[in-house]
Amino acid sequence: MEGTVDGFRYGAVTPVAAYLMACLGGALGLRCIVRTLLSNQSWKAGWLALGAASIGCGIWTMHFIAMIGFQVVETRIRYNAGLTVLSLAVAIVVVGIGVFIVGYRGASTLNLSFAGVITGLGVAAMHYLGMAALHLNGTIRYGTTAVALSVVIAIVAATAALWAAVTIRGFMTSLGASLIMGVAVTGMHYTGMSAVSVHVHGRTGGSWAGESPTSLLLPMLLGPVIFLLLAGVVVMFDPLLVLGDGDWNRSSAATESTAPQPDPLFENQEDRVVHARAPQDPQWAAPHGPHR
């Protein structure tokens, strides 16, 4: 028997919340990567790792917030905790691979293409690994065309995100890029979900009202959400990340212009002292006065 699949049990609440989390992770990740480009003195590996973890957590959180709204009317749904956590690790690791490639090897066409493919395939793997964690009284089937399209969207979105990370420096432009990235990642998720159909193994008498998957998902979502909030605090208190390249340079230039400048007429402090004493000190004028 074909099950009745609904991905919007709570209406627009879960898609909007999922999109916002994808944007938050993307925005924090992009700013952290930009931080390594704006200052040669920054701890590059640390900022890149924080950026990769932020993007990975944002993508994973987006997926499972969206899955809270997923239901099959004829059967209850449960999640395997081990596979759910593994999908989070996969998201962070594969995004990290792409971020470190462009962070250390540059944003050439070859590097971007290679890193984008790896990261996109990893994001798709996270999605379908998360779907494998889903347990219900039936068999989940996927439409080939929609699955292939979701993978293509994941690769394009990953490549565009990596390009934006190493190209866009300003705060507002990074924010705009993260909004577009959120659309792409969320679109990839719902494109993949459009491929889902469920063949239910007979009637079990259970219903969606009997049990909710939030009993597992909400506690597991709490950790990545707290991490993203802490990463946001780190970004907020770094002026170079908030101001961006151009604004930071203008701010530095303004500070330098208001600082006291040394008098170019004097090469050192001793010259200033001698010059200050000359008009008042009688010993200075004595040798040049009349001889008795």
Side-chain angles (χ1 to χ4, degrees):
M1 180 180 70
E2 290 298 315
T4 305
V5 177
D6 182 10
F8 304 95
R9 183 197 177 199
Y10 299 103
V13 173
T14 48
V16 171
Y19 169 73
L20 292 177
M21 293 308 299
C23 291
L24 175 61
L28 294 176
L30 292 180
R31 296 312 294 165
C32 289
I33 297 169
V34 166
R35 183 62 171 82
T36 66
L37 304 175
L38 297 181
S39 174
N40 294 327
Q41 298 178 348
S42 62
W43 182 33
K44 190 169 189 176
W47 283 109
L48 290 176
L50 180 60
S54 297
I55 296 174
C57 284
I59 294 172
W60 185 87
T61 305
M62 175 278 303
H63 172 83
F64 282 100
I65 287 178
M67 290 303 295
I68 290 176
F70 177 81
Q71 66 169 322
V72 179
V73 176
E74 292 80 8
T75 179
R76 299 174 181 177
I77 294 176
R78 297 178 177 86
Y79 287 87
N80 180 287
L83 287 177
T84 302
V85 174
L86 180 60
S87 66
L88 173 61
V90 168
I92 294 175
V93 169
V94 296
V95 171
I97 292 173
V99 165
F100 273 78
I101 288 175
V102 298
Y104 279 98
R105 299 182 64 88
S108 66
T109 302
L110 180 61
N111 289 337
L112 271 177
S113 300
F114 182 62
V117 169
I118 291 178
T119 305
L121 290 176
V123 170
M126 180 280 300
H127 174 88
Y128 290 104
L129 188 59
M131 291 299 295
L134 189 151
H135 289 176
L136 45 75
N137 184 39
T139 302
I140 298 177
R141 297 171 179 170
Y142 297 96
T144 305
T145 302
V147 169
L149 181 59
S150 70
V151 173
V152 171
I153 293 174
I155 293 174
V156 173
T159 305
L162 293 173
W163 174 85
V166 296
T167 305
I168 297 175
R169 305 294 182 87
F171 178 77
M172 295 306 297
T173 49
S174 290
L175 180 60
S178 69
L179 296 177
I180 297 174
M181 179 180 172
V183 171
V185 172
T186 309
M188 174 267 167
H189 171 83
Y190 283 104
T191 300
M193 294 307 296
S194 69
V196 173
S197 62
V198 177
H199 180 76
V200 179
H201 298 160
R203 291 188 176 274
T204 62
S207 67
W208 175 263
E211 183 175 315
S212 171
T214 55
S215 58
L216 172 67
L217 292 184
L218 286 181
M220 296 188 72
L221 286 168
L222 188 60
V225 170
I226 292 176
F227 171 81
L228 289 174
L229 293 177
L230 293 176
V233 171
V234 173
V235 171
M236 284 175 55
F237 282 94
D238 190 313
L240 186 55
L241 279 174
V242 174
L243 291 176
D245 191 17
D247 293 336
W248 173 262
N249 289 336
R250 286 193 292 270
S251 176
S252 299
T255 301
E256 292 176 1
S257 65
T258 57
Q261 300 295 323
D263 192 338
L265 296 177
F266 307 107
E267 296 180 356
N268 53 54
Q269 187 66 23
E270 293 181 359
D271 288 343
R272 292 196 190 95
V273 173
V274 173
H275 182 267
R277 292 178 58 195
Q280 296 85 11
D281 194 343
Q283 295 181 0
W284 176 273
H288 305 284
H291 295 282
R292 295 183 180 179

